[in-house]
Amino acid sequence: RTGINAENGEYQTFQHYFIQINLRMKALILVGGFGTRLRPLTLSLPKPLVEFCNKPTVVHQIEALVEAGVTHVILGVGYRADIMETELKKHEERLGIRITLSYEDEPLGTAGPLALARQELLEHKDKPFFVLNADVVCAYPFRTMLDFHQKHGCEGTICVTRVEEPSRYGVVVYADDGKIDRFVEKPTTFVSNKINAGLYLFNTTILERIELKPTSIEKKIFPQMCKEGELFAMELPGFWMDVGQPKDFIIGASLYLNHCARSKPELLSKHEACLGNVLVDESAVIGKDCQIGPDVVIGPGCVIEDGACIQRSTIMKGSKVGSHSWISNSIVGWRCRVGKWVRMEGVSVLGEDVVIKDELYVNGGRILPHKEIGASVPNPAIIM
């Protein structure tokens, strides 16, 4: 079996080592700006370091890239780069790869970061490189992308995913072989139900198209590549979600846990209190007569007291949920204290170190870090 040892990051087989030595590919992860959509969590940590299913989103991505033969990951960052650098140093050493940060003095959009990282991306001119949106979670089929890209032999591959309501998005229209014909922004009549999934694979020649200035790769670069017949679409297998805002973060966790149930069931909890797909860190403590699940993530060092009920929610590292509290469709940030007989729902989000007193109701509340809440929040509100 090929893979990364979850404990120490060592290569599990010679096959994986062989992939690493022979491909030696690069990847650029588009981290971007301030993560305002995911506040209050991003007031404490840069968005890529916020734990999604007990692991920072960017680490999910980096580990999948390493599996596909990437040995150098570049992060295009413009916000709190010092924290990013310190945290990712640990993973650089664990995985035996190189992780560097490319600093943006001004927001460069989705194409400008490629120009900024041009020198590093051109170190291996004959090898394609991956580009990822940092908010995307999926099964990351990078090896499949490589095979598809090699077969069509053109400059770019983008992953697309199927959506139920294409009129909300810009859609991708392409032929049976994957060659993209055009992009249509929020179509009023049906032309396609496939949208850009934010995962790309490019030959280094794409860098000749991009200047070092704020540029949208979707609006400026892709249409030209499309006209020249140089851009292909590969439909993404399995689940996909952009987890850049709380509602989608919660949905994305449910999709990820369902994916784990199918492909990595050993990761899910077998605790007697758990119903459906639940991920519980081994250091967490769950009391008597609790109901945990479905679709719940409980982080390291958490304490769930007797009789608590949690569903479709994430409880992050070091938090405590009081006895007989009920939490649904919510995110509890790091080191929070939720009192006894509390009810939380409606995509409520607690920032770091928030205290909710006993017997309160929180509906759609976004509570900023280090606050103590002594009154109910019956309607969606930001509590500063």
Side-chain angles (χ1 to χ4, degrees), residues 7-35:
E7 296 300 321
N8 58 26
E10 293 177 352
Y11 304 124
Q12 290 185 341
T13 67
F14 176 79
Q15 180 187 357
H16 182 69
Y17 177 76
F18 181 82
I19 289 171
Q20 282 278 323
I21 292 301
N22 283 274
L23 290 185
R24 299 186 63 82
M25 292 179 64
K26 295 179 181 288
L28 173 64
I29 300 178
L30 303 175
V31 173
F34 299 103

Side-chain angles (χ1 to χ4, degrees), residues 131-239:
V131 177
L132 290 70
N133 182 328
D135 291 341
V136 168
V137 296
C138 62
Y140 305 118
F142 295 128
R143 295 291 295 170
T144 306
M145 287 178 70
L146 275 169
D147 292 341
F148 179 80
H149 187 77
Q150 186 178 23
K151 285 175 183 175
H152 70 65
C154 291
E155 193 170 78
T157 295
I158 76 171
C159 276
V160 296
T161 187
R162 188 190 308 263
V163 294
E164 296 298 323
E165 298 179 53
S167 60
R168 294 175 50 198
Y169 305 90
V171 298
V172 185
V173 181
Y174 57 93
D176 291 341
D177 65 354
K179 181 179 282 190
I180 296 177
D181 177 63
R182 66 192 188 277
F183 298 88
V184 181
E185 187 63 29
K186 296 184 179 179
T188 54
T189 58
F190 183 86
V191 291
S192 171
N193 60 355
K194 310 296 194 315
I195 66 168
N196 181 349
L199 304 178
Y200 315 128
L201 183 58
F202 300 128
N203 295 343
T204 54
T205 50
I206 193 177
L207 298 173
E208 298 169 13
R209 302 177 181 271
I210 304 171
E211 298 179 36
L212 184 51
K213 62 180 184 180
T215 310
S216 166
I217 200 168
E218 298 86 358
K219 295 178 180 178
K220 297 293 184 182
I221 309 301
F222 286 171
Q224 187 59 39
M225 292 174 69
C226 183
K227 285 180 184 177
E228 297 173 15
E230 290 289 340
L231 193 59
F232 279 67
M234 186 193 94
E235 186 170 352
L236 192 70
F239 78 103

